Amino acid sequence: MVKSVCLSPSLLSADFADLRSAVQKIEESRCKFIHFDVMDGHFVPQISYGQPVLKSVRAITGAALDVHLMVEKPELMVDSFIDAGADFITFHLESTVHSNRLIQMIHDRGKKAGISIVPSTPVSALSEVLADVDLVLVMTVNPGFGGQKLIPSCVEKIRLLDELRKKNGCKYLVSVDGGINNSTVSSVVDAGADVVVSGSAFFSGEFKWDY
């Protein structure tokens, strides 16, 4: 059986003055996911957008909205982003003490729970939650800025997560975000990624998606 891999364009790289056209471009590319980066200026240096923008995007698309919370204390924002239309809530292991509690909170609201790690965090740090999450997002750049180059050593994390789910019977998707373009996409897909996030390369029209 040929494995299905999904492209998840990141709205962070879209033209904010015309998000409707950006969403239309995503749907015309038959993408099943839209990546929605939320940055608070504390966990990462930049500030992006929030719940009102998500609500507007939700109203014009049926694609799954994966809200990537690059914020401190994500547990304080989960309910409001779910109310605004999130399908997945992906938070950073490094951003909260009680990851298990937060995963349960997301599941109790009937949504999918994702967890992400920055390049300096090893996969082993996720050992206690892998059986409970629906998605693991591997950051292959340091989060907070678009247009960065992929850190090659992070690709091995994708391979390890794929091996662990097969070994332990876990059902999580492996997602990857950061520096994905025509030169790097094959390496992350070959390593076992199920969801590939692309921002700058996708919206510039340079990215060729053949999966």
Side-chain angles (χ1 to χ4, degrees):
M1 180 181 294
V2 178
K3 176 183 173 181
S4 176
V5 185
C6 295
L7 177 62
S8 181
S10 171
L11 279 182
L12 186 63
S13 296
D15 179 359
F16 288 5
D18 193 4
L19 282 180
R20 182 179 292 275
S21 292
V23 172
Q24 183 177 356
K25 177 180 174 66
I26 292 171
E27 292 189 329
E28 288 173 350
S29 300
R30 293 178 292 181
C31 300
K32 298 178 181 178
F33 285 80
I34 296 177
H35 196 77
F36 193 91
D37 288 304
V38 178
M39 302 186 290
D40 65 353
H42 297 284
F43 183 72
V44 293
Q46 300 295 306
I47 296 173
S48 60
Y49 36 50
Q51 297 90 333
V53 176
L54 180 67
K55 186 174 181 179
S56 296
V57 172
R58 175 78 289 163
I60 59 174
T61 183
L65 300 179
D66 180 12
V67 175
H68 178 196
L69 296 178
M70 291 178 277
V71 302
E72 293 181 356
K73 298 183 179 179
E75 57 273 14
L76 301 180
M77 302 184 187
V78 165
D79 282 329
S80 61
F81 276 102
I82 290 175
D83 290 343
D87 298 294
F88 285 74
I89 297 286
T90 298
F91 65 94
H92 273 266
L93 176 71
E94 305 89 358
S95 68
T96 185
V97 175
H98 300 290
S99 294
N100 289 95
R101 180 187 297 169
L102 185 49
I103 291 165
Q104 188 59 57
M105 181 188 303
I106 296 166
H107 284 160
D108 286 348
R109 288 294 310 273
K111 302 300 179 179
K112 302 291 187 181
I115 196 161
S116 183
I117 52 175
V118 301
S120 59
T121 300
V123 169
S124 58
L126 295 169
S127 61
E128 297 301 317
V129 299
L130 286 180
D132 302 317
V133 294
D134 303 289
L135 179 146
V136 180
L137 174 60
V138 176
M139 293 300 301
T140 45
V141 298
N142 288 293
F145 301 93
Q148 298 182 66
K149 292 184 178 180
L150 178 144
I151 301 172
S153 60
C154 293
V155 176
E156 186 57 32
K157 294 182 184 181
I158 301 169
R159 197 179 315 279
L160 179 55
L161 284 163
D162 186 36
E163 292 173 354
L164 287 171
R165 66 177 165 184
K166 291 173 182 175
K167 177 182 177 181
N168 300 319
C170 297
K171 303 297 185 182
Y172 55 79
L173 298 172
V174 179
S175 182
V176 56
D177 182 8
I180 307 299
N181 53 41
N182 295 327
S183 299
T184 58
V185 64
S186 61
S187 66
V188 300
V189 172
D190 291 346
D194 306 287
V195 181
V196 175
V197 179
S198 178
S200 303
F202 175 83
F203 282 106
S204 70
E206 299 172 359
F207 194 35
K208 294 180 176 59
W209 180 255
D210 298 319
Y211 298 90

